Amino acid sequence: MGTAEYEPIVARYRVPIVVTGFEPLDILDGILRCVRQLESGQAALDNAYARSVRSEGNRAAQALLQRVFTVGSRRWRGLGEIEGGGLVLAAEFSDLDAERRFGAITDSNADVREGAAGTRAKATGDGDGDCLSGLVLRGLRKPVDCAAFGTRCTPEHPLGVTMVSGEGACAAYWRFRGPRAATEAAS
């Protein structure tokens, strides 16, 4: 998408935004750049990932996405349905649409499961079940607030999306705090 998409956000909310890569040094550089802006009272868009990200983005990829997809409503694990928050296949590709071919999976016709281990949890993550990943994802709970964290839910046996992904909050807590985090969760 490029960096230009962020300019209106910086202008409207007067917040610094730094685009970074995913490597540890990229992330640290991005944090440093953001802190420098905050300390100086600036609010600007800063591209710390110029080796891969351009202002206009990848035009060829954008054209392909526009041809194959249209914007539509989508359910997001832990967040619920977001109006205009996802992509759906364009009419030209509707014969490839798994939802159309096999039927949409919804809360009413399927046992919605948050994670690989299959523990029942509502998609909103409101605590109806063993997994609070939806609440963790939204920043309303910490991983250690979840009774399953570090016991029934570990990176080897994740219950929710925030433990499944190596970049998820629960997995990060586990990775960097390990057994200490599980002890915190139990207390």
Side-chain angles (χ1 to χ4, degrees):
M1 73 181 222
T3 60
E5 301 281 336
Y6 294 105
E7 291 172 5
I9 298 170
V10 171
R12 181 174 180 181
Y13 297 104
R14 300 290 307 147
V15 294
I17 293 180
V18 180
V19 176
T20 72
F22 298 98
E23 297 296 321
L25 288 177
D26 291 329
I27 294 169
L28 289 172
D29 181 39
I31 291 169
L32 176 63
R33 290 175 185 224
C34 188
V35 168
R36 285 182 175 159
Q37 282 193 53
L38 290 168
E39 287 179 343
S40 67
Q42 293 180 322
L45 172 62
D46 187 0
N47 184 2
Y49 200 36
R51 69 182 184 270
S52 295
V53 177
R54 306 285 177 263
S55 176
E56 69 281 357
N58 182 331
R59 300 286 172 122
Q62 291 168 8
L64 187 59
L65 284 169
Q66 288 177 349
R67 178 173 170 249
V68 175
F69 297 100
T70 60
V71 175
S73 297
R74 281 287 186 217
R75 289 187 60 80
W76 287 81
R77 188 177 281 170
L79 302 176
E81 186 160 325
I82 298 176
E83 186 73 31
L87 298 175
V88 293
L89 285 171
E92 177 184 351
F93 300 97
S94 63
D95 59 324
L96 302 173
D97 189 341
E99 284 182 343
R100 187 171 174 196
R101 289 176 71 178
F102 306 111
I105 297 175
T106 65
D107 288 348
S108 62
N109 68 7
D111 186 14
V112 177
R113 298 178 186 275
E114 267 297 287
T119 298
R120 176 91 172 112
K122 279 189 175 178
T124 56
D126 63 5
D128 183 29
D130 293 335
C131 180
L132 297 182
S133 67
L135 295 171
V136 171
L137 185 65
R138 295 192 323 261
L140 300 173
R141 296 284 187 277
K142 290 183 178 180
V144 294
D145 295 336
C146 183
F149 180 81
T151 56
R152 294 183 316 279
C153 183
T154 64
E156 293 78 27
H157 301 283
L159 298 181
V161 66
T162 51
M163 186 65 90
V164 171
S165 166
E167 298 168 350
C170 293
Y173 258 71
W174 183 258
R175 180 175 179 196
F176 294 106
R177 298 177 77 188
R180 285 192 333 248
T183 302
E184 283 179 47
S187 56

